[in-house]
Amino acid sequence: MNEHTLSAVGTTSDAHTDYPLGSSDLEHRRLMLQARILRPSTDHFLRLGGLRPGMSVLDLGSGIGDVSMLAAEIVGPRGRVLGIDRDPVTTDKARRRAWHEGLDTNVEFEVTELDAFDTAERFDAVVGRYVLPYQKDPAATLRRFARFLRPGGILAFHEFDFLVQNPTWPPCPLWDDSYRLLTKVYEATGTPPDFGGRLYRTFLDAGLPGPTVECQGPVGAGADSPLFPWLAYSLRVLEPALAKAGLSLPAGLVADDTLPDQLEKAVLEQNSQILATLQYGAWTRVP
């Protein structure tokens, strides 16, 4: 039996709102594409944060498993990663993907609400990507999970900031208006679209030592950038939330399988360069 024990999955969560992107097959495709785009940044943040071979890692909001598997590659066969997520469908996919990648010997996944998780085990690191903004009290979440760390253990998180002032240059109005819908719908659902810029204060509010913070941003230039389907998939899975907030795609855009091509065509016509969502990493060690 595993050393950790989980409480029964409840009907409540730390999440202050339902995850606005849902749990459809399209959302899972979007997550895998997103993971490919963000992998260099996440890898950079985790390694600078102190992840090393042989460590044990707890991954919060593990989803379909990309951060857990990346952490497993870093800690190696002598290390261990436990990913926890409230969605049984994505967790099952994460298990299958880890098996396919040959990582199932040192990666496990469990279904649990974050506020229901409990264990006697102590980890060398607690990590997460795109998870804190969806919590009712992000500082309380950090404070709670810091107690599952060994002395000197690491907290390392990778979060987003949609508030890019000039997403394209030269300006491509169709792309810019589409991209800014992300900010509008997140604000409408009560999820801070600029959470990455709040990481330092959030760590301090959790009673943790001030973290090291870095910022990066994916850039797209020319044809076939993965940023085209990334935004397109995001807008499509957000359609219900957009409609609920009274928002819609810019005139002329259709939310179907051709949306990536529609966005790409508009950007290429302007010979624009894209700056996508800013990526913030923050990490610290507990005393």
Side-chain angles (χ1 to χ4, degrees), residues 44-128:
H44 177 74
F45 298 148
L46 293 182
R47 291 181 189 273
L48 281 185
L51 260 66
R52 298 289 184 270
M55 283 185 167
S56 60
V57 180
L58 177 62
D59 176 27
L60 308 187
S62 49
I64 57 174
D66 289 283
V67 174
S68 293
M69 290 189 290
L70 173 57
E73 292 176 21
I74 296 172
V75 302
R78 294 185 294 108
R80 174 174 176 266
V81 179
L82 172 63
I84 59 174
D85 195 277
R86 67 180 183 176
D87 186 345
V89 175
T90 57
T91 300
D92 185 57
K93 287 189 176 183
R95 292 190 184 108
R96 295 200 304 268
R97 294 179 73 212
W99 177 84
H100 182 75
E101 296 295 328
L103 295 169
D104 54 312
T105 57
N106 65 333
V107 180
E108 296 178 75
F109 295 98
E110 297 287 353
V111 178
T112 178
E113 300 282 357
L114 294 189
D115 59 359
F117 177 78
D118 197 15
T119 179
E121 183 176 359
R122 293 298 175 262
F123 297 86
D124 296 307
V126 173
V127 305

Side-chain angles (χ1 to χ4, degrees), residues 29 88 91 107 125 176 200 211:
R29 286 169 54 199
T91 300
V107 180
D176 293 350
Y200 187 82

Side-chain angles (χ1 to χ4, degrees), residues 5-10 12 14 112-118 144-145:
T5 57
L6 299 177
S7 301
V9 177
T12 62
D14 282 337
T112 178
E113 300 282 357
L114 294 189
D115 59 359
F117 177 78
D118 197 15
R144 181 173 189 275
F145 280 93

Side-chain angles (χ1 to χ4, degrees), residues 251-270:
L253 285 185
V254 180
D256 60 16
D257 289 341
T258 69
L259 186 54
D261 293 333
Q262 298 173 60
L263 293 169
E264 180 174 5
K265 181 175 182 290
V267 170
L268 294 182
E269 285 178 349
Q270 300 296 323

